[in-house]
Amino acid sequence: MACQCLRVDQLDAHVLDSEIRTIAQDSVDDIVNQMPVWISRIFEKLRPELKVTLDAVLWTHRFSRGASPGQEQMDIAYSGYSPKLITQHFVLEVFLPYITRRLTDLSGRMEFARIYAKLEAIFELGSLLHFLYFLRSGGHSTLTESILSLRNWNNHQPTISSVNYDNQNRELMWHAFRDVILLTYPFIERIRQRVVRKQKLVRKFGSTIGGSDTECVVCDKPAVIPMIGQKCGHVACYTCVATSGNSMSCPLCSEDKEEQRMEFLAKKLEEDSAILIDQ
């Protein structure tokens, strides 16, 4: 061993071990979910046993390598981590909580459950206080390590080298660019939606506004104060409609005056535009 490792390395090792355990647990859950229902129900009842078995399999790495997978990734290990200490560590860290919880659940007695809950709360409080002390002063990263006098050491002497800030600068610039995108995207998307709706409006009514359809069907001239049929879509001058004697109905469609009533084209375009933009 070279020297005692930094607190951040110990925390990173614990995080890596937790992530590896989570990935393994998710894989086991996926396999169980693919099984028939009656088999899945059996495994669901034995979930605590599956978890402790999975932990035991992961802990075999410590017997072969002398360190957990997370510690190996961080190039640290416990000093004097013998098989006996590994076994004691496993019993305190994994097996004792499992057997206590399992016996409490199987007993079905509320007083045992209350006692276990109080003991668990006391242990969690002690672990929290110990963790705060570790963050303040270093030393053993967990309460179990403190009980067993386990201390993380670097496997190799850390080296001091020149720091290259190019990668950090690129990373900071990328994060800043990402934040700008996340901040402005809702506004950009809102503007894009308004533009798309306006384009739909233009495509829908462009031919009516700028094409030959704006010619009056009565006088065959460009419509003055154009009006459009609500159903038929015929365009006519206001004066032509008013003097046709059809009660403001389409001059060409006199069969059903109520269904072929005329309205001002500008008003219809304004209403349709408001509907499209508000959607």
Side-chain angles (χ1 to χ4, degrees):
M1 300 291 176
C3 64
Q4 293 183 356
C5 67
L6 300 174
R7 281 168 285 183
V8 65
D9 292 337
Q10 300 181 61
L11 294 177
D12 288 342
H14 288 304
V15 171
L16 289 172
D17 287 333
S18 178
E19 291 295 330
I20 292 172
R21 185 183 182 281
T22 300
I23 293 173
Q25 184 65 51
D26 292 341
S27 300
V28 172
D29 291 340
D30 291 338
I31 294 174
V32 172
N33 293 333
Q34 297 298 324
M35 295 181 178
V37 177
W38 65 275
I39 298 180
S40 298
R41 291 177 179 175
I42 295 176
F43 279 107
E44 187 64 28
K45 295 179 180 179
L46 299 176
R47 180 173 291 274
E49 284 71 23
L50 287 176
K51 289 184 177 180
V52 74
T53 302
L54 179 61
D55 286 334
V57 172
L58 294 176
W59 275 67
T60 57
H61 188 277
R62 304 178 184 236
F63 286 97
S64 59
R65 300 294 184 89
S68 67
Q71 288 176 317
E72 190 173 17
Q73 291 295 323
M74 298 304 301
D75 195 27
I76 62 176
Y78 294 122
S79 177
Y81 203 38
S82 62
K84 181 179 179 180
L85 273 178
I86 297 175
T87 304
Q88 294 175 355
H89 196 184
F90 175 79
V91 171
L92 291 178
E93 193 79 17
V94 178
F95 186 75
L96 187 59
Y98 155 74
I99 196 65
T100 307
R101 165 63 72 178
R102 200 58 170 157
L103 292 176
T104 302
D105 294 339
L106 293 176
S107 66
R109 301 182 63 177
M110 291 300 298
E111 55 270 21
F112 288 164
R114 293 192 187 98
I115 293 173
Y116 175 78
K118 292 179 180 179
L119 293 176
E120 187 177 27
I122 293 173
F123 180 78
E124 291 294 335
L125 178 60
S127 299
L128 176 60
L129 295 176
H130 184 277
F131 181 71
L132 295 176
Y133 176 80
F134 166 73
L135 294 179
R136 176 68 175 81
S137 305
H140 306 285
S141 59
T142 64
L143 189 59
T144 306
E145 291 178 1
S146 181
I147 294 173
L148 297 176
S149 299
L150 296 174
R151 185 69 169 88
N152 280 292
W153 288 68
N154 289 308
N155 291 328
H156 301 90
Q157 183 69 34
T159 58
I160 300 177
S161 58
S162 59
V163 180
N164 186 356
Y165 291 101
D166 291 340
N167 292 332
Q168 296 183 18
N169 290 336
R170 284 195 294 267
E171 190 73 14
L172 290 174
M173 292 179 62
W174 165 247
H175 285 298
F177 179 68
R178 180 198 62 184
D179 294 340
V180 170
I181 292 177
L182 293 177
L183 180 63
T184 59
Y185 177 77
F187 302 99
I188 297 174
E189 180 64 17
R190 182 64 176 174
I191 295 173
R192 187 192 68 82
Q193 292 176 0
R194 293 178 67 90
V195 171
V196 170
R197 288 165 186 160
K198 288 182 179 179
Q199 290 176 350
K200 290 181 180 179
L201 180 64
V202 171
R203 287 196 298 267
K204 184 176 182 179
F205 299 107
S207 60
T208 303
I209 296 173
S212 60
D213 292 342
T214 55
E215 292 184 356
C216 178
V217 296
V218 177
C219 63
D220 293 330
K221 295 180 180 180
V224 178
I225 311 179
M227 300 187 72
I228 186 171
Q230 293 179 346
K231 300 293 184 180
C232 62
H234 293 148
V235 178
C237 300
Y238 169 73
T239 55
C240 294
V241 175
T243 58
S244 64
N246 292 327
S247 301
M248 303 304 291
S249 297
C250 178
L252 296 183
C253 306
S254 59
E255 292 82 3
D256 193 344
K257 297 182 180 180
E258 182 64 28
E259 292 185 357
Q260 308 302 333
R261 291 189 64 82
M262 305 286 284
E263 61 179 340
F264 290 104
L265 178 60
K267 181 180 178 181
K268 179 176 177 60
L269 293 179
E270 182 180 355
E271 292 175 352
D272 291 341
S273 175
I275 293 174
L276 285 174
I277 292 176
D278 292 338
Q279 287 179 351

